[in-house]
Amino acid sequence: MANVAVIGAQWGDEGKGKVVDWLASRADVVVRFQGGHNAGHTLVVGNQTYKLSLLPSGVVRGKLGVIGNGVVLDPEHLLLEIAKLKEQGLSVTPENLRIAENVPLILPLHPALDKAREAARGANKIGTTGRGIGPAYEDKVARRAIRLSDLAEPEVLSRKLDELLLHHNTLLKGLGAPTFEKQALLDRLLELAPKLLPFAEAVWERLDAAHHEGKRVLFEGAQAVMLDVDHGTYPYVTSSNTVAGNAAAGAGIGPNRIGYVLGIAKAYTTRVGSGPFPTELHDETGRLLGERGREFGTVTGRPRRCGWFDAAMVRQAVKVGGVDGLVLTKLDVLDGLETLKLCTGYRIGSEVVKRLPASIAQQEAAEPVYEEMAGWKESTKGARSYAELPAEAVKYIRRIEELVEAPVVLLSTSPERDDTIVLRDPFAG
Ligand code: IMP
């Protein structure tokens, strides 16, 4: 049975939530494998809107949700999100959510360090979500993270907290930020332990069993390829690998079980936070895209920067992300624009290149090379077949396919789950 991995092909906020929700209805298990509550997925189901940051979207559809070891988990936030869903009539219990016992935890000192460091960076700030994601991943690779399973062993926890605080309080003091006291942290973690431990297990074993039972697994990526810590616009990136390959390490499965990789891209480009953005528009068109697309961050509420579709960048994301097929979202936001522009490469000094170089200075200097296309007057909102699309819209999509070297297999034409044009079933492999 084919599995599917969904990843963002730009800088995040491509509308993964809706696509994952659509696919989740056809999957048995939905797995988060990286990131944390820096992600924001909005799911519109009938007249209910669910905002998820940490929970796998499948829980809204009655599917088993799994949080893999590649995630960084803020226990307080998890319980808050579960409580909010309960108010909306959805129950999240160990029956429908399992969490990797080896997942590293985000503690209050992580957002404190995240924010103190951003403040110290001043104008050079990364524009993080301030949720402690970077510091939590740093602790994981530095081998001092508190993991979920540690909550069952108070003595180990106490010892590990000493090491963690030695590191963090030194840094926080140096940055002039308040430090943390061990006993309060320990007491709170031990208080949380009975609420969290019932969710903990070796999820790799469950996923292995799911495979042998022929179940369909959906790997739900967060952020996007251009925010990948290796392949993105470093250092203006998140602190995890967002490419599909990380679904294997981040969930505890073999790479051959990831299945079909679906990349999600908006029909234009947006970005939140700082960093290079060659096709960014500072004019009326940019403002219009932001307004029509309701481009405000789900997590932080920050307005998103908007620009033309960058086909050179998405091509790069397709290659490094292992994307088999693309989903194009928010095409309707372009309705009525007379001319559209597609970025096919970048002029850097006297050279024209087809990819973003690793050098941040060169990324910032990159001038987009555009190709112009005629827009369309008709509305594409809610279209459910190619036949309902204006000829110019179809041409725009076809040109994107050529430039990014991947087929568009799904089109999302409104926030409603059923307003989707399916050209190929990703679960068919
Ligand atoms: P962090 O992940 O909070 O460390 O933030 C690092 C960068 O990733 C910042 O530019 C954030 O705005 C961006 N980022 C993190 N999560 C998301 C997301 O879900 N959508 C879009 N951008 C994100």
Side-chain angles (χ1 to χ4, degrees):
M1 193 68 70
N3 295 331
V4 175
V6 172
I7 60 168
Q10 294 160 321
W11 278 296
D13 311 311
E14 296 92 351
K16 288 187 288 291
K18 173 189 151 170
V19 178
V20 166
D21 181 38
W22 185 82
L23 289 165
S25 63
R26 322 192 37 239
D28 301 298
V29 187
V30 183
V31 184
R32 279 282 309 264
F33 58 90
Q34 49 73 227
H37 64 312
N38 50 346
H41 285 177
T42 307
L43 305 176
V44 183
V45 183
N47 54 7
Q48 280 275 25
T49 300
Y50 300 96
K51 288 197 185 291
L52 303 181
S53 285
L54 186 56
L55 288 169
S57 302
V59 295
V60 170
R61 293 281 166 199
K63 302 300 163 109
L64 176 69
V66 169
I67 294 180
N69 54 278
V71 168
V72 281
L73 179 122
D74 183 327
E76 303 279 4
H77 184 89
L78 176 78
L79 296 175
L80 263 178
E81 208 167 302
I82 291 177
K84 258 198 206 148
L85 283 187
K86 196 168 179 194
E87 277 170 25
Q88 291 186 282
L90 277 176
S91 155
V92 178
T93 68
E95 287 293 299
N96 59 356
L97 176 70
R98 308 304 298 170
I99 305 176
E101 58 189 2
N102 50 346
V103 77
L105 301 184
I106 297 182
L107 306 185
L109 42 80
H110 293 117
L113 182 60
D114 196 354
K115 287 176 199 154
R117 269 200 312 228
E118 281 284 89
R121 282 187 190 114
N124 295 324
K125 70 173 197 265
I126 290 166
T128 70
T129 59
R131 299 203 152 184
I133 307 298
Y137 276 116
E138 287 166 33
D139 282 345
K140 168 177 158 166
V141 294
R143 297 166 291 197
R144 60 174 168 258
I146 308 284
R147 310 203 296 181
L148 182 54
S149 58
D150 294 330
L151 301 190
E153 296 173 343
E155 273 169 34
V156 175
L157 186 61
S158 169
R159 197 167 12 92
K160 288 183 86 171
L161 273 176
D162 284 330
E163 194 197 338
L164 198 66
L165 282 172
L166 176 67
H167 178 82
H168 279 268
N169 281 342
T170 310
L171 282 176
L172 288 167
K173 233 180 262 166
L175 288 162
T179 54
F180 284 81
E181 204 220 321
K182 178 183 166 186
Q183 199 57 46
L185 282 175
L186 183 61
D187 290 349
R188 183 61 185 149
L189 285 173
L190 292 175
E191 202 179 328
L192 291 173
K195 295 184 184 150
L196 294 167
L197 287 171
F199 292 100
E201 70 173 20
V203 298
W204 61 268
E205 215 157 34
R206 184 176 290 266
L207 293 174
D208 188 57
H211 172 76
H212 290 294
E213 288 159 21
K215 292 201 168 138
R216 288 172 159 185
V217 182
L218 177 63
F219 298 97
E220 176 180 358
Q223 292 85 48
V225 176
M226 284 298 140
L227 288 172
D228 182 285
V229 68
D230 287 296
H231 299 289
T233 45
Y234 189 92
Y236 299 98
V237 292
T238 192
S239 295
S240 62
N241 283 114
T242 56
V243 291
N246 193 29
I253 54 146
N256 55 345
R257 296 214 179 139
I258 296 172
Y260 191 86
V261 180
L262 206 52
I264 320 292
K266 263 179 210 170
Y268 49 101
T269 314
T270 64
R271 170 163 207 171
V272 280
S274 327
F277 182 172
T279 64
E280 183 170 13
L281 292 168
H282 297 282
D283 60 4
E284 186 53 24
T285 310
R287 202 193 50 76
L288 193 83
L289 293 176
E291 200 177 282
R292 282 209 200 153
R294 278 172 272 119
E295 298 295 356
F296 293 93
T298 317
V299 170
T300 57
R302 292 177 287 181
R304 296 177 184 141
R305 300 154 66 192
C306 299
W308 294 119
F309 188 87
D310 188 341
M313 183 182 90
V314 174
R315 174 182 169 274
Q316 191 164 336
V318 162
K319 307 284 177 191
V320 299
V323 169
D324 294 307
L326 268 188
V327 182
L328 212 56
T329 64
K330 293 188 144 183
L331 187 68
D332 58 290
V333 172
L334 302 178
D335 291 352
L337 291 179
E338 210 157 295
T339 311
L340 304 174
K341 291 186 185 180
L342 288 171
C343 171
T344 60
Y346 315 98
R347 189 177 308 280
I348 303 173
S350 56
E351 239 191 310
V352 172
V353 293
K354 238 178 136 178
R355 58 173 180 83
L356 270 182
S359 147
I360 195 73
Q362 289 197 21
Q363 286 175 16
E364 271 159 4
E367 291 287 334
V369 175
Y370 285 121
E371 188 175 289
E372 290 198 0
M373 296 192 75
W376 53 90
K377 289 196 182 68
E378 304 85 337
S379 164
T380 60
K381 200 171 177 69
R384 293 196 180 176
S385 76
Y386 248 54
E388 290 175 50
L389 296 179
E392 291 82 2
V394 175
K395 261 193 211 154
Y396 183 71
I397 297 162
R398 294 282 178 244
R399 187 62 187 136
I400 284 177
E401 287 182 314
E402 281 169 12
L403 290 171
V404 307
E405 298 174 28
V408 171
V409 295
L410 289 174
L411 266 175
S412 155
T413 57
S414 96
E416 286 297 326
R417 193 170 64 136
D418 295 330
D419 290 340
T420 302
I421 301 177
V422 186
L423 301 151
R424 180 203 163 109
D425 176 4
F427 275 115

